[in-house]
Amino acid sequence: MRNSKSERAGYWFIMPWLIGLLLFTIGPMLFSLLLAFSKWDIITGVQSIEWVGLDNFKTMFHDELFYQSLKVTFIFALVSVPLYQVASLLIALLLNMRNKGMKFFRLIYFMPSIIPAVAASMMWIMIFNPEYGILNRALALFGVQGPAWLQDPSYALGALIVMGLWGVGNTIIIYLSGLQGVPEELYEAANLDGAGPFQRFFNITLPMISPTVFFNVIMGIIGGFQYFTQAFVMTNGGPLNSTLFYNLYLYNKAFTDFEMGYASALSWVLFIIILAFTLLVIRSSSMWVYYQGDNEKD
Amino acid sequence: MMNQATTRKPVYSKLFSMLMLLAGAAIVLIPLLWTFATSLKTPAEVFKDDFFPAVWMWSNYKNAVLAIPFFTFLKNTLIILIPVLVGTVFSSALSAYGFARFNFRGKRTLFLVLLATMMLPSQVTMIPMFIMFKEIGWVDTFLPLIIPAFFGGGAFNIFLIRQFMRGIPRDLDESAFVDGANKMQIFTKIMLPLSMPPLIAVSIFTFMGVWNDFQGPLIYLNSSEKYTLALGLSMFKGLYNVEWNMLMAATMLIMLPPLVVFFVAQKYFIEGISISSAIKG
């Protein structure tokens, strides 16, 4: 703004962040990059880090569990991101009606996202219990014999996806705030033109909230690829590695097997995957994200 | 067809929507209610079909708290939580003030770096950070979970507070400057008090973050007497002598504080989250 004194003052105020950036982000990233090309079990001190070039990445090519964890994570992301977005948007549309009691419903739908992931996992372990879990008991009322959910390799991943649906409150609230930003006049004009609810949704609502969709899709992808706590607590990757999420495999490699070099290589592959997907969504966004006014300032 | 029906008979469409909302609300609430009901059952009743227990065994809660070292876990959680709250709020507000009110070389670039760090998966820095904390002997102490909060307090929090501070009229701090207040005084006497809404939102998010954190304590805490509530609960899942009813009682206890905070502070909560959707690509 003004003089060099003000310049220095600015630096002083952001100093804690700057130091943190160097100490906890940039420094570790460089070290992690070095480790990705090294072999090192942490037990023998830092001096025994051994440069192995691309070996870790070559190992990945032959590592069945690496492929399995990629597969699990991709299936989860490809199913859950669209599923959660559609479900949250539908619920947000319902919650956006002008009606008494809406505030109450909003509270209820948001509640599960407040519950600690560990607590929710405990709850769902019991819900999914094949004999006395409430899910299979409810299915039995309709004469359906429910599966052994978390113990059955063909159902375990699906069970985790279903469970995630229960906790989409966060996404719902973001959609709701997006919906509330759509100008009422647009709907009034559309009504005069005799547009039905589906036309109103696809021609007005969806384009107007496309920035919100964009934000939620990106957050969904990032979250999906970093899925950890529920899988660790509920299945620990099993049965038969059917829920071995990428992040869980990475954790096992680093903190169970202490293969820090290989785990670092895995973390960079994860980073590149997330980056690629995020860039893909950002690049494609000019085709489907509509910014009202589009006169972004700073 | 349906278009016509719904435009002509808004009453029916409203009724239908309300029914959908009620059904969804039931799906959200029933698991919670059932967990609560189970937490009050006898061990034998857990395996029976009845939704609610015959007699509400409130003593399960007492027994659960005694069966697992609940108060030790609670104490550990608070030992981490309180300094993290102070560190996060103060250091994110400081950085936000720097970005909101000063011009310095490289500010735009640094701000972009700040935004970019929000996208960085924590897994990339997780391993080196662990090694670093291990080398300085901090593993199995609370320090790795506390100290980073004092260095920036999280990119999202800085962003949130900075957006708000930019909305505070410059006249206010400029006239204070003319009156002889220094930058730090302007920060503590004017900017901080005026930025209460985002500061409260950040505090709530931080509380939730620490209370829910699982992977952090899992990596850094080895001895069970140092476990936090989230970690302790999961570790006692496999223990033979912990019954389902008691485990569910403990589960209820760990979800209660965030729920209470949410109901008391829901306004800031929802506002805080809504602001996040204003980030554009």
Side-chain angles (χ1 to χ4, degrees):
Chain A
M1 183 174 55
R2 292 159 281 212
N3 43 42
S4 62
K5 210 172 164 195
S6 158
E7 279 231 335
R8 252 181 293 136
Y11 281 125
W12 277 117
F13 281 106
I14 66 161
M15 196 54 78
W17 173 73
L18 269 178
I19 295 171
L21 180 75
L22 290 174
L23 231 52
F24 302 125
T25 306
I26 293 176
M29 275 179 84
L30 293 175
F31 189 23
S32 164
L33 196 60
L34 171 81
L35 281 176
F37 297 98
S38 316
K39 186 176 152 60
W40 186 43
D41 52 40
I42 190 164
I43 300 130
T44 49
V46 180
Q47 57 274 29
S48 67
I49 299 178
E50 186 191 334
W51 179 265
V52 293
L54 289 171
D55 274 10
N56 288 327
F57 297 93
K58 283 179 195 153
T59 310
M60 270 181 229
F61 275 109
H62 309 290
D63 182 352
E64 265 178 50
L65 288 181
F66 165 72
Y67 287 114
Q68 174 64 15
S69 67
L70 263 188
K71 195 180 108 189
V72 168
T73 308
F74 269 99
I75 294 176
F76 182 80
L78 287 178
V79 176
S80 72
V81 171
L83 182 70
Y84 296 170
Q85 298 311 314
V86 171
S88 331
L89 184 51
L90 280 178
I91 297 168
L93 283 171
L94 290 173
L95 288 173
N96 197 32
M97 293 188 305
R98 248 179 265 132
N99 223 335
K100 274 191 194 121
M102 259 333 145
K103 219 180 151 189
F104 173 70
F105 278 118
R106 281 173 200 169
L107 278 184
I108 289 182
Y109 281 93
F110 190 66
M111 231 159 69
S113 19
I114 305 302
I115 292 172
V118 169
S121 301
M122 291 295 160
M123 211 176 94
W124 280 88
I125 290 174
M126 209 176 59
I127 291 170
F128 284 130
N129 186 288
E131 291 115 60
Y132 50 89
I134 198 172
L135 184 58
N136 279 4
R137 280 180 183 172
L139 289 173
L141 294 179
F142 300 97
V144 179
Q145 164 77 55
W149 298 107
L150 299 173
Q151 286 82 39
D152 186 334
S154 39
Y155 283 94
L157 185 56
L160 294 182
I161 293 174
V162 168
M163 174 185 130
L165 203 53
W166 183 74
V168 292
N170 250 326
T171 319
I172 295 175
I173 297 290
I174 297 174
Y175 274 125
L176 194 60
S177 74
L179 289 173
Q180 289 179 343
V182 182
E184 200 58 41
E185 308 90 73
L186 290 178
Y187 291 118
E188 282 159 18
N191 277 343
L192 287 177
D193 292 341
F198 288 98
Q199 282 168 305
R200 284 201 301 266
F201 176 75
F202 285 107
N203 296 331
I204 299 172
T205 312
L206 207 51
M208 291 300 288
I209 63 161
S210 55
T212 314
V213 179
F214 173 70
F215 176 79
N216 279 337
V217 167
I218 290 199
M219 294 321 261
I221 291 172
I222 295 176
F225 277 101
Q226 296 185 268
Y227 195 82
F228 179 78
T229 304
Q230 292 88 336
F232 182 91
V233 175
M234 294 176 71
T235 56
N236 204 4
L240 295 176
N241 296 322
S242 60
T243 59
L244 185 72
F245 280 82
Y246 193 93
N247 194 7
L248 191 58
Y249 183 55
L250 199 164
Y251 170 85
N252 287 340
K253 275 289 158 204
F255 298 102
T256 312
D257 304 342
F258 294 111
E259 290 180 28
M260 291 299 176
Y262 191 55
S264 298
L266 285 172
S267 77
W268 277 88
V269 170
L270 175 74
F271 180 33
I272 290 163
I273 293 173
I274 293 180
L275 200 67
F277 269 91
T278 314
L279 286 179
L280 196 75
V281 178
I282 292 176
R283 276 286 162 79
S284 78
S285 70
S286 61
M287 289 186 281
W288 58 275
V289 176
Y290 167 77
Y291 289 118
Q292 208 187 345
D294 227 76
N295 48 359
E296 267 276 87
K297 348 172 246 233
D298 189 345
Chain B
M1 278 303 287
M2 206 188 148
N3 271 353
Q4 294 248 322
T6 41
T7 36
R8 258 191 226 147
K9 294 174 183 144
V11 183
Y12 288 126
S13 92
K14 230 175 197 166
L15 193 68
F16 177 72
S17 308
M18 281 310 274
L19 284 176
M20 294 269 290
L21 275 180
L22 274 173
I27 292 173
V28 170
L29 287 179
I30 285 172
L32 282 172
L33 261 182
W34 189 60
T35 305
F36 177 61
T38 307
S39 74
L40 294 167
K41 285 177 179 169
T42 60
E45 272 178 316
V46 171
F47 305 100
K48 287 201 200 131
D49 271 341
D50 302 297
F51 194 96
F52 286 108
V55 182
W56 291 24
M57 303 270 294
W58 288 106
S59 58
N60 283 349
Y61 279 81
K62 200 183 98 197
N63 294 335
V65 163
L66 296 175
I68 63 178
F70 187 87
F71 288 109
T72 309
F73 295 162
L74 179 66
K75 191 188 84 196
N76 296 341
T77 311
L78 293 177
I79 291 175
I80 297 168
L81 176 67
I82 293 163
V84 168
L85 260 182
V86 174
T88 303
V89 170
F90 196 69
S91 86
S92 58
L94 268 182
S95 310
Y97 178 53
F99 277 117
R101 278 296 196 262
F102 299 92
N103 275 327
F104 44 86
R105 200 167 304 154
K107 181 171 117 168
R108 283 181 72 95
T109 316
L110 283 174
F111 194 67
L112 279 177
V113 171
L114 177 96
L115 294 179
T117 58
M118 283 201 271
M119 298 264 185
L120 184 76
S122 59
Q123 285 73 25
V124 175
T125 51
M126 182 171 84
I127 293 165
M129 293 250 283
F130 175 80
I131 294 166
M132 189 170 87
F133 287 128
K134 193 178 156 60
E135 288 295 316
I136 53 175
W138 283 9
V139 165
D140 207 28
T141 73
F142 299 124
L143 292 172
L145 301 166
I146 295 173
I147 298 304
F150 287 84
F151 292 90
F156 175 72
N157 295 332
I158 298 175
F159 178 78
L160 203 68
I161 302 170
R162 178 250 190 192
Q163 293 302 87
F164 188 89
M165 282 182 172
R166 277 162 56 101
I168 297 174
R170 264 182 195 273
D171 309 353
L172 279 175
D173 35 314
E174 271 171 6
S175 64
F177 184 73
V178 172
D179 289 346
N182 65 32
K183 303 266 163 40
M184 199 61 195
Q185 285 167 329
I186 293 172
F187 172 68
T188 52
K189 300 261 166 63
I190 296 176
M191 297 308 265
L192 274 188
L194 286 176
S195 304
M196 273 335 250
L199 292 180
I200 291 172
V202 165
S203 310
I204 298 168
F205 287 134
T206 307
F207 166 77
M208 305 285 295
V210 173
W211 197 266
N212 296 348
D213 187 20
F214 184 74
Q215 205 169 3
L218 178 69
I219 290 171
Y220 290 114
L221 304 175
N222 305 327
S223 26
S224 60
E225 72 272 9
K226 288 188 182 132
Y227 283 178
T228 60
L229 275 172
L231 189 59
L233 186 70
S234 83
M235 291 304 163
F236 278 86
K237 176 191 71 172
L239 232 61
Y240 59 98
N241 59 347
V242 177
E243 313 262 4
W244 276 110
N245 52 352
M246 269 152 61
L247 190 59
M248 288 304 114
T251 302
M252 288 301 297
L253 287 177
I254 172 174
M255 60 171 90
L256 213 58
L259 284 177
V260 169
V261 169
F262 169 58
F263 279 104
V264 172
Q266 35 159 317
K267 188 172 149 259
Y268 300 101
F269 234 109
I270 291 175
E271 268 174 18
I273 291 179
S274 305
I275 291 171
S276 66
S277 67
I279 305 166
K280 292 182 176 180

